[in-house]
Amino acid sequence: MLEIRQLRAGYGQVQVLHGVDLNVDSGRIVALLGSNGAGKSTLNNNISGIYRPFSGRITWEGTEIAGLRSERVVELGIIQVPEGRRIFPNLSVRENLELGAYRRARSRRNQNLERVMDLFPRLRERQIQTAGTLSGGEQQMLAIGRGLMAEPRLLILDEPSLGLSPLLVEEMFGLIQDLNSQGLSIFLVEQNVMQSLEIAHQAYVLENGRVTLSGPAAELIDDPNLKKVYLGL
């Protein structure tokens, strides 16, 4: 579905990614793991068309998309829920959700709105509430719901568990599994290593802009190098 080959990217003269190779297959949860500064968000923003890579290839179903404008990437069905939620705090919950269908699936906005509110009953209860007054967990629900309004074919989740309580983190990972069970392909970018590996099919570890480990998630859980780097074992 999504194939990345020898991707080099960064900002200005600063190179952050150094030849990244990565695949996301249809119907799978693929986890990208790494600490702050590893280059995870840089990779997301190049996939999403926010930045243009220095070199390398990003192909979507066999078609080169590196350097496409971000709105065109959205129209293809690649939808990113960015780190930090990035909701519109002065708009209502409903208005935030409706904006999710601005570039894609506009004709089915009302049906998708109902679907999202069924998925997140708390958003239905708060649909006229100003989004900036929601709790952190509710804002994350809103950010994901806004992404779902565009009927994604690939949903990129950038640090969805960041800043959430342990209980809400459990709920978030359960939600990701539920969405995937409905056929949605998910690219999960996380620092939460063990819980990500427990739900993912495939995983990659990014360190200093390079993929240092990759393979089936169930195998990486027991990888001694991963345990050494992230768990101190």
Side-chain angles (χ1 to χ4, degrees):
M1 196 176 207
L2 180 72
E3 185 177 286
I4 296 170
R5 289 292 175 268
Q6 287 300 297
L7 190 70
R8 292 174 171 80
Y11 309 96
Q13 301 298 313
V14 179
Q15 186 169 332
V16 176
L17 301 178
H18 305 273
V20 170
D21 292 328
L22 184 148
N23 287 343
V24 180
D25 292 331
S26 179
R28 312 281 277 180
I29 300 174
V30 175
L32 179 67
L33 310 173
S35 58
N36 278 334
K40 304 187 305 298
S41 292
T42 301
L43 178 60
N44 283 350
N45 289 334
N46 277 268
I47 295 170
S48 299
I50 297 170
Y51 296 104
R52 180 183 293 271
F54 297 165
S55 64
R57 294 177 57 82
I58 305 173
T59 57
W60 172 252
E61 297 184 328
T63 300
E64 178 67 52
I65 64 168
L68 280 186
R69 293 175 62 88
S70 56
E71 57 266 33
R72 177 63 184 136
V73 175
V74 167
E75 289 166 358
L76 292 172
I78 304 171
I79 309 298
Q80 180 181 174
V81 178
E83 179 183 353
R85 298 146 195 161
R86 306 286 181 89
I87 61 168
F88 298 97
N90 297 322
L91 299 181
S92 71
V93 167
R94 186 186 182 97
E95 288 168 335
N96 268 270
L97 291 173
E98 289 175 341
L99 282 171
Y102 180 72
R103 296 296 307 193
R104 179 177 162 86
R106 190 181 300 189
S107 65
R108 293 178 296 280
R109 185 180 67 185
N110 290 337
Q111 299 97 304
N112 288 330
L113 189 63
E114 283 300 310
R115 175 184 171 232
V116 168
M117 289 188 176
D118 286 343
L119 189 62
F120 300 111
R122 276 178 279 184
L123 298 185
R124 186 185 296 279
E125 296 169 4
R126 292 160 172 75
Q127 61 181 297
I128 63 172
Q129 185 172 329
T130 303
T133 65
L134 298 176
S135 70
E138 291 165 346
Q139 288 186 16
Q140 187 64 33
M141 292 176 197
L142 178 57
I144 293 176
R146 183 180 60 189
L148 294 175
M149 288 291 294
E151 297 182 357
R153 299 189 58 215
L154 174 64
L155 186 65
I156 301 174
L157 297 175
D158 194 346
E159 303 284 7
S161 73
L162 188 66
L164 300 184
S165 68
L167 180 59
L168 287 176
V169 169
E170 291 287 342
E171 289 184 14
M172 184 60 58
F173 280 94
L175 168 67
I176 293 168
Q177 284 185 294
D178 289 343
L179 292 172
N180 177 248
S181 71
Q182 298 169 27
L184 181 59
S185 305
I186 296 174
F187 186 42
L188 174 62
V189 180
E190 264 286 350
Q191 293 186 60
N192 194 324
V193 173
M194 298 313 293
Q195 284 181 285
S196 297
L197 290 176
E198 286 170 359
I199 69 167
H201 300 100
Q202 185 82 8
Y204 296 82
V205 177
L206 194 65
E207 292 185 69
N208 299 316
R210 293 178 170 85
V211 173
T212 56
L213 286 172
S214 66
E219 294 179 8
L220 287 188
I221 288 178
D222 296 320
D223 189 289
N225 291 321
L226 186 76
K227 290 182 175 181
K228 181 178 180 181
V229 171
Y230 287 98
L231 304 178
L233 299 177

